[in-house]
Amino acid sequence: MRLFSLAAALLLTTACAHQQVSVTTPTSPPPSGQVSATDDAPTSANTVDPVYARIPESDTTARPQWLKARIAAVLAERKRNPITRILRYQYEGKTVYYQSAPCCDQFSQVFDTKGRLICNPDGGITGKGDGKCPDFEKNKTNEKLVWQDPR
């Protein structure tokens, strides 16, 4: 039985050892210029950003000037992943604006109607923000999308 196992292992090792597979990725677009079901080879031209089936309509009513300036600043930078979103909520009886974090361990921000930073409710190394509004997620109400990066 031991001899059989040794022979099987040797056979498998030698059968696979000398075969190599070469994989190439084409970098030119398909002949038609568009990717379709009839094209034979994959192409780099078919890589696109995801498009969501339903993009919520932004509430553009009465955007304060400071908020317009924040939006312009985001658009002046390179596109972020995930994209920046600004939402309006009611929190502790007041209207507030939440701006999503640019990435990873960075803080999201909550501003009052004058554009003053109230707190960072999430993000950071712990994911729990700066601790100044630990109940924000639980107590925010009346969510309205104000703006999201369209790029």
Side-chain angles (χ1 to χ4, degrees), residues 63 65-78 86 99 147 149 151:
R63 284 186 187 163
Q65 191 59 39
W66 67 266
L67 187 58
K68 291 176 185 177
R70 287 196 75 78
I71 291 169
V74 170
L75 290 172
E77 298 171 356
R78 65 180 175 82
I86 299 175
Q99 182 173 336
W147 180 80
D149 194 334
R151 300 174 288 170

Side-chain angles (χ1 to χ4, degrees), residues 52-59 85 87 143 145 147-148:
Y52 300 100
R54 187 174 92 70
I55 297 174
E57 188 69 28
S58 294
D59 181 2
R85 295 181 58 165
L87 301 129
E143 179 179 288
L145 176 66
W147 180 80
Q148 72 180 16

